[in-house]
Amino acid sequence: MNHFILLVPLLQVVLILHYARAFFVSSPFPTTSTTTTTITAAANAVVKNDDITDISSSTHRPRIIIIGAGVGGLATAARIASQVPTAELTVLEKNGRDKVGGRCGSFTVNNIDGVVGSFRHERGPSLLLLKEEYEQLFAECCPPTTTTSTTTTTTAESSKSQSWTASQDYGLTIKQCIPAYQVVFDDGDTITLGFPRSKCTSTTSLTVDDIKQIQILEQQSIAKFNSLETDGFMKWTDYLDTCSAYLDCGLPNFIENKLHLPSFPSFLYESLRENGKRWPLQPHSSMLESLFTSPKLIALASFQDLYVGLEPYSNSKQLCGGIFKKTAPAVFGLLAAIELHPTNSKAGVYAPIGGFEQVANSMYQLCLDWNVKFQFHTSVTRIGEEGRVHFVVKNDKRRNEGEETEVAADETIKGFLDADLIICNADLPYATETILKSSSNDKRVEGEDALLYNETYDWNDKFDYSSGVIAFHWSVSKTLDALETHNVFMSANTTSDAVKSWAVLRDDGGATSDSVPFSMNDKPFNFYVHRAGKTDVTACPPDCDSIMILVPCPTLMRREDLASLPRDDAIEVYKQQFNKDVIDDTRDAVLKRLSVLRGLENVRDLILDEVVDTPGSYTDYYNVGAGVPFGLSHGLGQLSITRPAPECKSRNNVLYVGASTRPGNGVPLVLIGSKQVARIAVDKLKNMFT
């Protein structure tokens, strides 16, 4: 253990929990002519709410514009609308209706090579954590006319039941994945993780045969732990208990901002026992190496660090082993608890039936029930200092989706909306460098200056980013029974291999302006495989499978010379940083690693269709900084008070919500952030209109 860290005052134990906010874990053609139009927000239905009479009694109805229909934008819109139903809320989304939810969404491939049916693939998250955060959104924001609960009791069980009922009313059914994961090592060793003691899903009991099979798998898992090292399973459960204490204290006190004193004694005990072995400020690997001897156990205890854009291994070249930059502190072990602890009430890995597009569609419908207005294919180009939001609408996209339009397909509408408050769900590093840049022309009433309507792409490269991702979406002609719903393939035969497998994060990319010098063949690397049909039969036709593979890769390298180009031109150049050779090389490496499992030796021959995403395509879809779908990383230098705040520094009427702002990335954390942003927004509106 780093002896310097041991001298840190006990008060910093509390500080690290405050930092633990981020432990959780969603081509255009040039135009030939333009039309300038001013579009005003449509009026919403007025619903009386005594809690906000100081706003609703005003003669001016609050006008709120939300930029981006991602999870953060949808959840914040629903929360504000439910608290200030007199407000006019308009969501501007650059993509079409099919991509509502942003990175939290799915796409389908239909009728391939005579196979009747659809293959559904996730483009963002594929596992659902902290399901209560999803359910509570609907329970708290459900309009009075759609509320199904008739009881007034306020017990905890009643509250849970009401939350579940409300989300079900909006079509959101959540099923638990048991086991939660399968970990596959590159020598063919496998181990399954995540066996809750309840042995049942959130919506329906398992059959007797299901339970027997789960019990067999759990006993095999215990035996595998003990074969990797003496008392391996006992050490594993002891480690999860430590992580559970971190979780129980961190979530209410420092994520939800609800003081919960009873959780502190357990947290402090776990942090200090055994002469400080579990000290939360040390690098994650330092803690794990004091508990385990097997490189494989250390690896499977720390793979969740990837979710927050960090590696688990200490970096001797950086202060305190790198925990302020790209090394996860030990407290991030609570990620393991949130997924794998057998008795913690918050733990569990789930799947939304219908995919994450169903999550997004349910949130979208909730917003519609509050009369939130949506304008799709609307790209925001500039936010003025006075609250004027400039945008362009490309009608070729609208026509391709069958939307009605009054102008020709090759025309572009230029317009603007005035707002009292703006919620920016666009990725923060992109937003600050493009749509929020100050301009002397921002106050021009007619918006005649063409610069206000230039759609460009750039990002702030001074931040630390999570890894990029190369994603393979395979529609295959056979069920791949060797895979569980969630699978992690790890290189950990030796400690050296395990450390090298995280090189993508440690080396911080290393891209050039032309291409990425990136190769996985014959090198240790880790990747994730999602088999949707294992839990949700709606994901693919019978006897087939929908497979998603996520391979960490370098981020895009920013080129300053592209910042002034039209957005489409700049992104086409950025896409070339991940060329066909890089993609082919990565695919070959993945197929080689898959072949260690029986039945997956010839997966290549089973692929009916392939869709590939890279940092370039994620940028095209979602305007994310550096092409990173996970947003900013979560080293101690970008957590809590050191992470970008919801309040915009340059505009007092702009708030941020999303993965790259507080509290952090992952759908549950973005949902928690939406509560905080909605609270700030309502307070601002009260101050404006009192």
Side-chain angles (χ1 to χ4, degrees), residues 283-390:
H284 200 177
S285 63
S286 298
M287 172 185 175
L288 295 174
E289 287 165 359
S290 71
L291 302 177
F292 304 105
T293 58
S294 167
K296 291 181 179 179
L297 287 187
I298 293 172
L300 66 84
S302 57
F303 68 80
Q304 293 96 343
D305 292 340
L306 179 64
Y307 301 165
V308 289
L310 302 174
E311 67 159 322
Y313 294 96
S314 177
N315 189 333
S316 61
K317 298 180 181 179
Q318 295 184 0
L319 178 66
C320 296
I323 59 174
F324 291 97
K325 297 289 286 183
K326 288 297 186 74
T327 297
V331 74
F332 279 108
L334 50 74
L335 282 163
I338 200 66
E339 294 185 336
L340 304 173
H341 197 277
T343 59
N344 192 301
S345 61
K346 306 176 189 70
V349 173
Y350 299 84
I353 302 303
F356 273 85
E357 69 176 358
Q358 181 58 56
V359 175
N361 288 335
S362 297
M363 292 182 183
Y364 175 63
Q365 185 59 52
L366 180 64
C367 290
L368 292 180
D369 285 351
W370 281 110
N371 293 313
V372 175
K373 307 303 178 185
F374 288 81
Q375 290 181 197
F376 293 107
H377 303 299
T378 303
S379 298
V380 172
T381 56
R382 184 67 57 84
I383 299 175
E385 294 180 0
E386 299 300 317
R388 176 156 290 181
V389 178
H390 300 267

Side-chain angles (χ1 to χ4, degrees), residues 589-609:
V590 166
L591 288 167
K592 182 177 180 180
R593 289 283 298 280
L594 288 175
S595 67
V596 301
L597 292 180
R598 181 177 297 178
L600 303 188
E601 297 89 350
N602 299 303
V603 173
R604 188 191 299 266
D605 299 332
L606 304 176
I607 299 173
L608 299 172
D609 181 79

Side-chain angles (χ1 to χ4, degrees), residues 242 245-246 263-274 278:
T242 297
Y246 292 164
S263 61
F264 277 94
S266 179
F267 169 76
L268 294 174
Y269 169 75
E270 291 293 341
S271 300
L272 299 174
R273 73 182 175 103
E274 297 182 275
R278 301 154 200 266

Side-chain angles (χ1 to χ4, degrees), residues 153-325:
T153 180
T154 58
T155 64
E157 284 302 316
S158 174
S159 177
K160 289 182 180 179
S161 177
Q162 183 177 353
S163 297
W164 179 82
T165 301
S167 60
Q168 285 279 94
D169 287 343
Y170 278 91
L172 183 56
T173 300
I174 298 172
K175 183 177 180 181
Q176 189 163 10
C177 303
I178 306 174
Y181 281 98
Q182 175 179 226
V183 176
V184 183
F185 297 102
D186 46 10
D187 62 358
D189 249 355
T190 65
I191 186 169
T192 49
L193 307 173
F195 296 93
R197 289 291 175 258
S198 62
K199 300 295 189 304
C200 65
T201 66
S202 60
T203 57
T204 183
S205 297
L206 296 170
T207 67
V208 173
D209 289 341
D210 289 337
I211 294 175
K212 287 182 179 179
Q213 182 61 33
I214 288 171
Q215 291 172 339
I216 292 172
L217 288 174
E218 185 172 17
Q219 291 304 311
Q220 292 174 346
S221 177
I222 293 171
K224 176 59 72 172
F225 271 107
N226 292 331
S227 72
L228 292 176
E229 68 176 78
T230 303
D231 297 326
F233 184 71
M234 182 183 69
K235 295 176 182 178
W236 169 252
T237 55
D238 184 46
Y239 168 68
L240 284 184
D241 286 342
T242 297
C243 297
S244 182
Y246 292 164
L247 170 63
D248 288 341
C249 190
L251 178 60
N253 290 291
F254 304 102
I255 305 298
E256 298 176 330
N257 295 323
K258 300 175 183 176
L259 184 62
H260 187 256
L261 293 177
S263 61
F264 277 94
S266 179
F267 169 76
L268 294 174
Y269 169 75
E270 291 293 341
S271 300
L272 299 174
R273 73 182 175 103
E274 297 182 275
N275 298 317
K277 276 186 178 181
R278 301 154 200 266
W279 184 257
L281 281 172
Q282 64 184 313
H284 200 177
S285 63
S286 298
M287 172 185 175
L288 295 174
E289 287 165 359
S290 71
L291 302 177
F292 304 105
T293 58
S294 167
K296 291 181 179 179
L297 287 187
I298 293 172
L300 66 84
S302 57
F303 68 80
Q304 293 96 343
D305 292 340
L306 179 64
Y307 301 165
V308 289
L310 302 174
E311 67 159 322
Y313 294 96
S314 177
N315 189 333
S316 61
K317 298 180 181 179
Q318 295 184 0
L319 178 66
C320 296
I323 59 174
F324 291 97
K325 297 289 286 183

Side-chain angles (χ1 to χ4, degrees), residues 109-146:
V109 179
N110 298 309
N111 302 325
I112 310 167
D113 289 345
V115 177
V116 178
S118 297
F119 294 83
R120 189 181 64 245
H121 300 277
E122 305 300 340
R123 191 148 254 151
S126 58
L127 53 86
L128 189 150
L129 307 176
L130 281 180
K131 69 182 181 70
E132 290 80 7
E133 289 300 326
Y134 295 78
E135 294 169 343
Q136 286 173 9
L137 171 68
F138 295 95
E140 294 169 359
C141 300
C142 186
T145 55
T146 59

